[in-house]
Amino acid sequence: AEAAPLVRDPTFPFRGPKVAAGAIIWGHGRAALVDGKREDRRSAPTAPLMRALAFAGWDLFRADRAPDKDNNADGLALTIDGVESLRAMGYGRIVLAGQSAGGWLALSAMGQVEGLHAVIALAPASHGNRTVRTARRELALREFDALLKARRDPATRVVVALFADDDYDPDPVARARLLRAAANEPGM
């Protein structure tokens, strides 16, 4: 309850702020619309990569977005509120991590939150699938570039992973080029 609006991921060990290496906030991907309603992704599994971090001493929390709040504005507010809750609990190091929309939200939050230990964005996306390569390509690339440049704290470490054949990637070559340029900054 102390971590609200976050929930502790019960599939991983929990140590508490005095013992843990830090806390990770995991953000799931955005669900598809089915018959005009967004599916509920709150029970989606946490990425296996997080298992290695959890067993290395990090406590894992989830920023689970309800279907009616599964958008960038509400997701960003939930993430930022979650960081504040974890800090109030006593966690000194906080990592934001996520896949697809969750990765996008992690990158978005790094432009607004001071003192994050790290951000891990796996296939960050926010502009839809397949059509993003035509109708929304330029907007998606411009916003991705802006997120990379908006890191508020230069001490925040940032890792972004892109994957081949990702239907949600507007232009894999252009995004890789943007990441290479961002990688010239310390911690990126």
Side-chain angles (χ1 to χ4, degrees):
E2 291 176 314
L6 305 175
V7 295
R8 189 175 64 78
D9 190 320
T11 60
F12 298 105
F14 179 73
R15 294 161 188 86
K18 288 185 166 80
V19 177
I24 299 169
I25 299 175
W26 173 256
H28 57 76
R30 184 166 296 131
L33 287 173
V34 177
D35 297 326
K37 289 185 73 176
R38 192 162 303 283
E39 293 178 342
D40 193 338
R41 298 283 295 158
R42 291 178 287 187
S43 62
T46 302
L49 165 66
M50 296 298 110
R51 178 173 303 284
L53 296 173
F55 285 100
W58 291 79
D59 284 344
L60 196 66
F61 296 85
R62 294 177 54 98
D64 286 339
R65 303 178 308 275
D68 63 330
K69 301 283 187 183
D70 198 355
N71 59 66
N72 288 350
D74 290 327
L76 181 59
L78 183 143
T79 302
I80 292 171
D81 288 348
V83 169
E84 291 172 5
S85 293
L86 293 178
R87 286 183 173 157
M89 289 175 67
Y91 286 97
R93 296 194 302 174
I94 298 174
V95 173
L96 301 181
Q99 178 266 330
S100 192
W104 190 270
L105 291 169
L107 290 172
S108 298
M110 79 173 181
Q112 298 193 27
V113 178
E114 195 79 37
L116 293 172
H117 183 68
V119 170
I120 303 169
L122 307 176
S126 181
H127 295 86
N129 69 341
R130 292 191 180 102
T131 58
V132 72
R133 293 194 180 146
T134 55
R136 304 184 83 188
R137 178 183 174 279
E138 292 305 318
L139 172 66
L141 290 172
R142 190 170 51 254
E143 288 183 3
F144 181 67
D145 187 39
L147 289 181
L148 295 175
K149 291 176 178 171
R151 180 174 58 155
R152 184 171 183 147
D153 186 341
T156 300
R157 298 150 183 87
V158 180
V159 175
V160 179
L162 303 179
F163 300 95
D165 302 319
D166 181 353
D167 280 344
Y168 293 82
D169 192 328
D171 185 330
V173 172
R175 288 218 312 179
R177 188 173 50 249
L178 292 172
L179 283 172
R180 282 189 193 98
N184 291 321
E185 296 295 320
M188 298 285 281

